[in-house]
Amino acid sequence: MPTDPAFSKELAAAPRLRIPNHLGVIMDGNGRWATARGKKRTEGHLAGVRALRGLVELCINYGVPNLTVFSFSSENWSRPAEEVSFIFSLLRRFVASDLQSLIRNNVHVRVIGSREGLDPSLVRLIRDAEQKTAANTGLNLIVAFNYGSKAELTEATRAVARAVARGELDPESITEETIAASLYTTGLPDPDLIVRTSGEQRISNFLLWQAAYAELVFVDEYWPDFNEATFLRVLETYALRDRRFGGIEARIT
Ligand code: IPE
Ligand code: IPE
Ligand code: MG
């Protein structure tokens, strides 16, 4: 996706845009995008990877520090086996073909989700991408793959319970920080803004704990059609939101 960095920086500086510290994206609608064009669903997933490359570039150019993308949910296993294996092969291809450019662009990659049941070679590939980009200080790209928030909270609960059973943790001393530190997202700021494409208005088990105060923006475009214009529209919508976090509007004191 062509983005003119000078033009983008100028736009980002304009008051009508607000840049979130952490943007979460539910990349939905690949299948419908393909069907609407008489193509196979798998082609929609392929087009979805192109849109993801565009989003990464936009986040770099506009200075979004943290980006989490939902690429495969723990519930997506219920799809036909062929589609599931195509999505898995896409992740492999994305890492293989894009790792060098991510390194060049100073992107730090982290993959969140369960690694259980994943092919060991895929787990190695993920680890390799994380290690090779670990020292990068630019965009934090978090890929939610084989991710489900309820599974994440269940696993976190088990970890906390184990620490209690071992006598290392007093139940009374469990705080919100204890839970947050037991999630895959430990160390990351909570998302400020979550965008979902394709017109669906639900969270589908994405970052339930972390999104407690996220602004939600739903756009009608299918994920493969997401582009700079959509991105800017979303940031403009976000700029108009009044985030109160349970308090009162800042100017009514
Ligand atoms: C999102 O697109 C990608 C994944 C969930 C893997 P979908 O495949 O859900 O596309 P639709 O919602 O069926 O159109
Ligand atoms: C959510 O989309 C998961 C991803 C985008 C990876 P789904 O297409 O799986 O969600 P539902 O089934 O419509 O809620
Ligand atoms: Mg979908």
Side-chain angles (χ1 to χ4, degrees):
M1 189 183 302
T3 308
D4 174 350
F7 172 71
S8 303
K9 285 213 179 81
E10 204 174 282
L11 262 177
R16 67 195 180 99
L17 291 185
R18 194 196 300 165
I19 306 297
N21 182 34
H22 187 172
L23 169 67
V25 180
I26 302 175
M27 309 184 291
D28 196 18
N30 293 349
R32 280 166 284 164
W33 179 91
T35 306
R37 284 162 181 74
K39 297 173 191 266
K40 292 201 290 187
R41 287 180 59 86
T42 47
E43 292 191 53
H45 295 310
L46 205 57
V49 174
R50 287 197 288 273
L52 171 59
R53 284 194 189 105
L55 174 65
V56 168
E57 196 183 319
L58 286 166
C59 287
I60 293 171
N61 290 341
Y62 284 87
V64 174
N66 301 284
L67 167 68
T68 300
V69 291
F70 203 5
S71 62
F72 186 82
S73 80
S74 32
E75 288 71 37
N76 288 147
W77 285 102
S78 62
R79 296 185 179 203
E82 283 173 61
E83 183 171 340
V84 172
S85 70
F86 187 83
I87 295 170
F88 273 65
S89 74
L90 270 187
L91 178 71
R92 279 178 197 276
R93 276 195 265 167
F94 179 71
V95 174
S97 64
D98 289 48
L99 186 58
Q100 288 314 315
S101 108
L102 292 169
I103 293 172
R104 255 197 325 276
N105 285 304
N106 199 20
V107 176
H108 180 171
V109 180
R110 177 160 159 184
V111 179
I112 60 168
S114 172
R115 310 245 164 129
E116 248 170 71
L118 297 189
D119 192 291
S121 68
L122 180 58
V123 175
R124 275 198 300 277
L125 199 71
I126 290 172
R127 237 185 256 138
D128 186 53
E130 289 181 330
Q131 279 164 5
K132 286 191 173 138
T133 62
N136 287 353
T137 54
L139 172 70
N140 252 328
L141 170 63
I142 302 109
V143 180
F145 186 83
N146 198 23
Y147 174 86
S149 200
K150 284 190 171 186
E152 175 184 42
L153 284 162
T154 306
E155 186 42 53
T157 307
R158 276 195 210 110
V160 171
R162 272 188 230 112
V164 171
R166 283 194 302 266
E168 294 165 8
L169 184 64
D170 172 5
E172 299 315 314
S173 68
I174 296 172
T175 61
E176 291 185 7
E177 286 69 35
T178 318
I179 309 295
S182 309
L183 301 174
Y184 297 127
T185 49
T186 176
L188 288 169
D190 283 345
D192 305 285
L193 168 62
I194 291 184
V195 179
R196 182 174 187 146
T197 55
S198 88
E200 306 295 353
Q201 303 198 354
R202 56 179 171 268
I203 291 294
S204 300
N205 206 10
F206 184 54
L207 303 177
L208 298 179
W209 169 282
Q210 299 86 339
Y213 269 105
E215 294 297 327
L216 306 178
V217 175
F218 300 101
V219 300
D220 286 335
E221 287 95 326
Y222 294 138
W223 174 247
D225 289 329
F226 187 96
N227 59 22
E228 187 165 13
T230 329
F231 182 78
L232 292 176
R233 219 173 64 233
V234 164
L235 294 186
E236 282 170 14
T237 305
Y238 175 59
L240 297 172
R241 299 282 175 89
D242 180 20
R243 304 187 75 196
R244 288 191 290 275
F245 300 98
I248 55 170
E249 233 180 304
R251 55 201 149 83
I252 313 176
T253 46

